[in-house]
């Protein structure tokens, strides 16, 4: 165990030192939660304990964030957080504002239940660079069991129609991606989505910063690159520790009151990076048992 601890500590220092060399004074990626409402109740999502008021982001706050991101040289904006982004009726206009302001890439992550009709058309017209649909399971029964509140047939039909609509434009945009973290049969999932999406990202389910239990098989600590690369803004302007901090346990500032650049470089952010650098994530409640903090 001592050997593993030493290896983890040395590895963490090397990785963190490298990330510090490349860390920008303004975050590379800014995630903006324009709403934390959601129409689904997926079995692996801790939304029942989110503990925050459900709302939509004020337009003046959103415009302030976009202005600072454009001036700071933000390379990528994610317009999603702990809700379903397509419930935000202003989303297409907000994406368009990002692109018109000079943001290089804008992407959203959706459950696909509302990806249809005028919403789909407006998204394509907005200039969004990537739409990623979270879809799990190898068939209808498995999908419906995992993604409670959604319907397999509806989501798959929406995805096929969106692909056809996008292809008719001839632009090849947005990139259309499926993200799968749970399936009993990878080959059947690939067959299900063949010709529907540009690619499938098979990922490993995480434990939502320990909220869904501790991953005891992972024993070597590593620094999380989110602290060096990604900035997460909740719907009310609070800046949370990372994209897994769904309830806002660790708030580092509020973009309605402080510039993004100042928050990104403040004392608490520096302390959190130092703790990750030294393999002392156990001193951060949110990171203590998070599966993303282990190899």
């Amino acid at each position: 165990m001592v050997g593993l601890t030493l290896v983890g500590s040395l590895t963490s220092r090397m990785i963190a030192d490298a990330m510090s060399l490349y860390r920008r004074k303004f975050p590379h990626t800014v995630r903006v939660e324009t709403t934390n409402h959601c129409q689904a109740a997926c079995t692996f999502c801790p939304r029942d304990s989110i503990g925050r008021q459900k709302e939509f982001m004020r337009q003046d706050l959103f415009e302030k964030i976009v202005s600072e991101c454009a001036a700071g040289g933000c390379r990528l904006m994610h317009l999603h957080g702990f809700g379903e982004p397509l419930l935000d009726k202003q989303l297409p206009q907000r994406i368009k504002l990002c692109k018109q302001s000079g943001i290089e890439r804008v992407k959203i992550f959706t459950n696909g239940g509302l990806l249809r009709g005028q919403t789909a058309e407006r998204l394509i017209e907005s200039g969004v660079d990537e739409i990623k649909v979270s879809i799990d399971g190898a068939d209808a029964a498995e999908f419906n069991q995992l993604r409670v509140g959604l319907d397999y047939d509806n989501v798959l039909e929406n995805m096929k129609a969106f692909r056809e609509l996008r292809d008719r434009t001839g632009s090849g945009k947005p990139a259309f991606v499926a993200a799968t973290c749970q399936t009993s049969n990878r080959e059947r999932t690939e067959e299900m989505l063949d010709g529907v999406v540009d690619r499938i990202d098979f990922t490993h389910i995480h434990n939502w910063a320990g909220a869904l239990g501790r991953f005891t098989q992972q024993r070597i600590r590593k620094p999380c690159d989110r602290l060096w690369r990604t900035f997460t803004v909740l719907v009310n302007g609070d800046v949370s520790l990372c994209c897994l901090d769904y309830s806002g346990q660790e708030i580092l500032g509020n973009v309605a009151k402080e510039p993004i650049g100042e928050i990104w470089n403040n004392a608490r952010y520096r302390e959190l990076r130092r703790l990750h650098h030294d393999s002392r994530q156990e001193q951060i409640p949110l990171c203590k048992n998070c599966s993303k903090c282990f190899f």
Side-chain angles (χ1 to χ4, degrees), residues 53-175:
Q53 180 179 340
K54 307 296 192 306
E55 54 188 315
F56 295 90
M57 180 172 281
R58 303 192 324 264
Q59 182 63 15
D60 63 320
L61 176 57
F62 182 79
E63 291 176 2
K64 180 180 185 293
I65 294 168
V66 173
S67 177
E68 291 184 21
C69 285
C74 171
R75 304 286 178 82
L76 171 63
M77 289 189 71
H78 292 237
L79 299 190
H80 56 258
F82 304 99
E84 168 50 46
L86 299 190
L87 287 170
D88 177 8
K89 302 300 183 184
Q90 298 185 74
L91 184 65
Q93 294 97 321
R94 288 174 162 176
I95 294 170
K96 188 173 293 185
L97 175 62
C98 293
K99 298 302 294 182
Q100 291 174 342
S101 299
I103 304 301
E104 185 177 336
R105 296 189 66 236
V106 180
K107 64 188 292 186
I108 63 170
F109 206 133
T110 173
N111 60 39
L114 302 172
L115 188 63
R116 60 178 178 266
Q118 288 189 348
T119 297
E121 294 173 2
R122 292 171 65 210
L123 282 172
I124 290 176
E125 294 169 356
S126 73
V128 64
D129 295 282
E130 181 178 315
I131 295 179
K132 184 172 283 190
V133 180
S134 184
I135 184 166
D136 291 286
D139 53 31
E142 191 171 17
F143 176 95
N144 290 337
Q145 183 179 27
L146 292 168
R147 295 197 162 270
V148 179
L150 300 172
D151 178 74
Y152 168 87
D153 292 328
N154 172 63
V155 171
L156 195 58
E157 181 181 338
N158 288 349
M159 293 176 70
K160 290 178 179 178
F162 184 85
R163 171 66 182 266
E164 292 175 3
L165 181 65
R166 185 209 63 178
D167 288 353
R168 286 201 299 270
T169 69
S171 67
K173 285 185 60 176

Side-chain angles (χ1 to χ4, degrees), residues 135-140 143 152 156 160 180 183 186-197 200:
I135 184 166
D136 291 286
D139 53 31
F143 176 95
Y152 168 87
L156 195 58
K160 290 178 179 178
T180 299
T183 179
R186 179 167 172 160
E187 289 185 3
R188 285 172 61 189
T189 300
E190 291 174 337
E191 291 172 1
M192 173 178 71
L193 296 173
D194 183 37
V196 179
V197 293
I200 306 172

Side-chain angles (χ1 to χ4, degrees), residues 174-186:
F176 196 39
V177 183
T180 299
C181 64
Q182 293 194 80
T183 179
S184 61
N185 191 312
R186 179 167 172 160

Side-chain angles (χ1 to χ4, degrees), residues 273-286:
R273 293 181 188 118
R274 185 160 49 249
L275 290 171
H276 273 248
H277 174 279
D278 296 340
S279 294
R280 291 188 288 149
Q281 292 94 329
E282 73 279 355
Q283 296 180 29
I284 309 169
L286 196 69

